[in-house]
Amino acid sequence: MTPVIFQLPAPVGEVLARLAAAGFEAWCVGGCVRDTLLGKRPFDWDVATSARPEETRAVFAGERLVEVGAAHGTIALVPPEGHPIEITTFRSDGEYTDARHPDSVTFSRRLEDDLSRRDFTVNAMAYHPDRGLVDLFHGREDLEQGLLRCVGDPARRFQEDALRILRCLRFASQLGFAIQQSTGAALWEEKGRLQTLSHERVREELTKLLCGENAAPVLREYAGILFTLLPELAPMKGCAQETPYHCFDVWEHTLHALEHAPADAALRWAALLHDTGKPARKTFSPDGVAHFYGHPPESGRVARRVLTRLRFSKREAEWIASLVDHHEDPMPMGEKALKRLLGQHGEAFVFTLFQLQEADLSAKAPGVFQRRLPDLEGSRARARAILERGDCLTLGDLALSGEDLKALGIPPGPEMGSLLRRLLDAVQEGGVPNQAAALERLALCLWREEGYKK
Ligand code: ATP
Ligand code: MG
């Protein structure tokens, strides 16, 4: 195999050198070695060392250190510039009784112990600028073949730590790798252990999986594993859509939508969940055509249940679930309705909704996309033009505030709120310019002469 040039960031080289000068072994390990061999720039560099945590602390006394997981022997060194470098003592994990946390962590002085406890062969390589690559499990061959293979016996490794099951699918999605046969078989055998994982961990891994380039093929092949964690999604598989707009069942349509959605976490989650309410809302008309009336709010309910269980923050859950709620809304063509939409939901939400609708359209029967895309594009172009012009979209954009109305003698309260909204309507309809003097005149006129009606 051709030698690979590792370009270690200077602070990483320095960490290795300082540990060596103090008499310890230190290697770059894991993701940074894998990514470099793949020709990618590693996101961060992890170092494994024979030094015990207290020895590492002594070597870097005076530097900025953060305890990342002292019990597991990880200390992060924060260089003046660049990412923190995690320095972890070589260890061999002890017994696992809960499929997640090793009961004990045994520190080791030997690199090979540390590499043996790592999950996949492609993640179990070490590199040192003077000593080269250590690849005890043929990780490099697996990298070249694009294969994910457990280090050691797959079933045992998944029994020890069920998170590895999800990590396997996540790496398959991110790297576009196939899963080696016995590793793949063990995924299915051990999937029941996924129940032992914390919801937060599941959320993090699934989000990475969903944002991977290969998310759709991985979820297609391992749907049954995903459904162990998200049983609400299972009824989509096999739920046929006997309508002129669809050529796939709900699950296959979902996977196609996911594939067409840009890799933004909220958008990908919304794509995954957007039709979860369809199976429960399926009916037929006498002509044998299927209908899914009311499925968006039903999908929104399912989405809220799933997202809350996975401990998404309230804000994130509501954002994603609202995308689901609105995924079928016809996007307005008229300026006024578009301004109202932008004012109500904000630019970021509305443009994410355009992306979701485009992905959803791309996953329908041939012809539907071509027929419906021009309207979606037209609406999106108008929305962009509105934003570029800096048109007035919310009460906050009005040149007249509640305070100004108070100064005119209009008392604060719900009626003032309605008056402000009427002024906003008038500006958006083009009936009055967004200027303080003009708005004052209109406000007083509405208030005094018409008599105020809500
Ligand atoms: P990423 O680019 O997503 O950070 P990574 O490979 O660096 O990928 P991390 O989660 O940062 O993934 O883990 C660093 C390394 O630690 C892995 O490459 C792997 O060697 C090891 N590792 C992490 N989690 C586990 C686990 N649950 N079981 C065994 N080894 C693990
Ligand atoms: Mg990492």
Side-chain angles (χ1 to χ4, degrees):
M1 279 181 219
T2 44
V4 174
I5 316 276
F6 278 69
Q7 285 182 321
L8 266 57
V12 176
E14 203 174 308
V15 163
L16 298 183
R18 284 178 66 178
L19 284 162
F24 300 108
E25 269 198 50
W27 297 79
C28 295
V29 283
C32 60
V33 180
R34 178 197 68 218
D35 289 345
T36 304
L37 290 171
L38 283 172
K40 295 186 195 166
R41 214 188 152 86
F43 182 69
D44 45 23
W45 292 75
D46 295 330
V47 169
T49 179
S50 60
R52 302 283 150 97
E54 64 278 9
E55 294 167 332
T56 302
R57 273 193 292 270
V59 170
F60 297 102
E63 307 282 336
R64 231 185 110 202
L65 298 177
V66 180
E67 300 280 335
V68 181
H72 295 97
T74 302
I75 292 167
L77 177 100
V78 188
E81 274 168 46
H83 283 276
I85 301 161
E86 293 199 353
I87 306 169
T88 307
T89 304
F90 292 157
R91 60 186 229 221
S92 53
D93 288 337
E95 286 299 301
Y96 289 71
T97 44
D98 68 352
R100 177 67 205 109
H101 303 286
D103 297 339
S104 62
V105 169
T106 313
F107 293 139
S108 164
R109 297 285 186 192
R110 295 175 345 141
L111 173 66
E112 62 193 81
D113 288 338
D114 193 72
L115 295 181
S116 315
R117 71 156 179 100
R118 292 178 182 269
D119 45 10
F120 306 106
T121 59
V122 295
N123 285 346
M125 291 179 275
Y127 175 81
H128 186 282
D130 303 330
R131 301 170 71 177
L133 189 73
V134 175
D135 178 14
L136 304 176
F137 308 102
H138 309 291
R140 199 157 173 205
E141 244 166 70
D142 285 340
L143 262 190
E144 292 193 352
Q145 293 189 28
L147 265 190
L148 282 164
R149 181 197 309 267
C150 280
V151 171
D153 173 48
R156 193 183 141 86
R157 301 312 308 281
F158 293 147
Q159 286 158 14
E160 285 172 355
D161 180 0
L163 190 67
R164 292 173 188 151
I165 299 174
L166 270 189
R167 284 174 60 85
C168 187
L169 300 184
R170 185 257 275 196
F171 285 119
S173 167
Q174 288 180 323
L175 302 172
F177 280 17
I179 299 173
Q180 180 268 340
Q181 205 208 337
S182 62
T183 296
L187 288 172
W188 289 103
E189 283 158 26
E190 304 301 331
K191 72 178 166 55
R193 294 180 191 266
L194 288 169
Q195 310 292 351
T196 60
L197 297 177
S198 80
H199 298 299
E200 289 83 354
R201 291 237 166 212
V202 170
R203 180 193 67 222
E204 280 170 27
E205 286 301 324
L206 284 183
T207 300
K208 288 181 184 169
L209 192 170
L210 287 175
C211 291
E213 261 182 49
N214 244 30
V218 169
L219 292 181
R220 182 174 292 118
E221 191 168 353
Y222 297 96
I225 296 180
L226 179 76
F227 298 160
T228 316
L229 289 163
L230 308 179
E232 294 89 344
L233 274 56
M236 288 197 284
K237 195 168 175 193
C239 180
Q241 306 194 83
E242 298 86 344
T243 90
Y245 307 110
H246 282 280
C247 54
F248 303 122
D249 75 0
V250 180
W251 175 240
E252 192 53 37
H253 160 74
T254 297
L255 294 177
H256 277 79
L258 193 66
E259 204 152 39
H260 287 103
D264 162 80
L267 178 59
R268 289 268 169 111
W269 271 104
L272 181 73
L273 297 168
H274 79 284
D275 274 350
T276 44
K278 270 189 171 172
R281 304 293 309 177
K282 184 171 177 180
T283 54
F284 285 99
S285 47
D287 55 1
V289 171
H291 301 278
F292 301 93
Y293 298 121
H295 81 269
E298 180 60 27
S299 301
R301 274 190 287 279
V302 175
R304 282 178 181 82
R305 197 180 320 136
V306 168
L307 299 166
T308 309
R309 186 173 73 238
L310 295 181
R311 312 284 194 269
F312 274 86
S313 72
K314 276 209 178 92
R315 230 185 113 253
E316 284 174 310
E318 207 34 52
W319 177 276
I320 298 167
S322 302
L323 288 168
V324 172
D325 287 339
H326 292 288
H327 80 268
E328 287 255 310
D329 291 1
M331 295 307 256
M333 293 304 278
E335 295 257 326
K336 196 178 155 203
L338 269 170
K339 285 181 194 173
R340 187 159 301 146
L341 189 72
L342 286 163
Q344 222 169 20
H345 296 285
E347 174 183 350
F349 182 88
V350 172
F351 281 83
T352 311
L353 187 57
F354 278 122
Q355 288 180 313
L356 178 62
Q357 294 205 347
E358 188 176 341
D360 189 12
L361 272 187
S362 322
K364 295 188 181 182
V368 175
F369 180 72
Q370 288 77 356
R371 243 183 356 261
R372 303 251 292 265
L373 187 68
D375 277 357
L376 195 67
E377 287 294 20
S379 176
R380 179 154 44 190
R382 281 197 160 181
R384 255 191 224 115
I386 289 170
L387 291 167
E388 272 161 25
R389 286 199 306 262
D391 283 1
C392 191
L393 299 175
T394 65
L395 293 183
D397 300 334
L398 269 185
L400 196 77
S401 68
E403 282 303 309
D404 300 328
L405 289 181
K406 234 163 78 183
L408 294 175
I410 296 172
E415 291 196 334
M416 183 197 272
S418 314
L419 180 58
L420 281 166
R421 273 190 295 280
R422 286 192 64 183
L423 294 177
L424 179 62
D425 275 349
V427 170
Q428 292 189 337
E429 279 163 18
V432 63
N434 188 22
Q435 288 162 0
L439 289 172
E440 265 180 27
R441 272 196 301 279
L442 178 62
L444 287 171
C445 166
L446 286 169
W447 187 259
R448 286 199 203 118
E449 289 169 24
E450 275 184 25
Y452 194 70
K453 293 182 243 50
K454 278 190 201 161

